């Protein structure tokens, strides 16, 4: 559902599967807009991991958005790297998707 929404609503349709030491770490799917990585997705048992690398500006915008407490706490503790701020969230149910969509839209706007 999230992948379809990204393509239909946000125009992020390029998909790139990556696997480094697949037996140890598994596969990940990058959703890209042109050559820009927007979101990283990793499959899990009954869930999937969503990862973003947000600029300082995008992280501030996401922190000011009304999001569930668990997501806000993750944003507050996001580690800073030279590429940006790393945000990792686990999606267990469809009700988790609205917050992920908000963060994806902020990433695209920045």
């Amino acid at each position: 559902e999230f992948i379809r929404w990204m393509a239909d609503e946000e125009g992020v349709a390029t998909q790139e599967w990556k696997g480094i030491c697949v037996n140890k770490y598994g596969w990940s799917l990058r959703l890209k807009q042109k050559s820009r990585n927007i979101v990283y997705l990793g499959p899990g048992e009954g869930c999937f991991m969503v990862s973003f690398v947000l600029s300082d500006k995008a992280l501030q915008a996401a922190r000011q958005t009304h999001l569930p407490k668990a997501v806000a706490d993750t944003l507050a503790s996001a580690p800073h790297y030279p590429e940006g701020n790393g945000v990792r969230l686990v999606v267990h149910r469809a009700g988790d998707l609205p917050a992920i969509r908000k963060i994806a839209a902020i990433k695209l706007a920045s």
Side-chain angles (χ1 to χ4, degrees):
E1 179 183 336
F2 178 71
I3 294 168
R4 184 176 33 249
W5 178 84
M6 287 291 289
D8 294 346
E9 300 297 324
E10 299 293 340
V12 179
T14 303
Q15 299 180 14
E16 181 179 81
W17 282 98
K18 290 282 189 173
I20 300 172
C21 294
V22 175
N23 292 336
K24 186 173 182 180
Y25 300 111
W27 290 91
S28 69
L29 174 64
R30 295 180 187 181
L31 300 182
K32 302 172 88 170
Q33 189 175 57
K34 297 184 182 176
S35 63
R36 182 180 178 208
N37 293 320
I38 304 301
V39 62
Y40 304 83
L41 304 171
E45 288 189 38
C47 65
F48 65 95
M49 175 78 69
V50 177
S51 302
F52 296 94
V53 178
L54 301 175
S55 67
D56 291 337
K57 179 180 170 183
L59 183 62
Q60 280 302 107
R63 286 179 176 164
Q64 294 173 358
T65 303
H66 179 69
L67 296 167
K69 182 177 177 0
V71 176
D73 290 347
T74 300
L75 292 172
S77 63
H80 182 74
Y81 301 105
E83 303 84 16
N85 301 282
V87 177
R88 292 185 180 102
L89 301 163
V90 178
V91 176
H92 291 282
R93 56 189 175 81
D96 297 334
L97 289 176
I100 304 302
R101 289 181 182 139
K102 285 182 185 179
I103 296 170
I106 289 168
K107 165 85 180 192
L108 286 163
S110 65

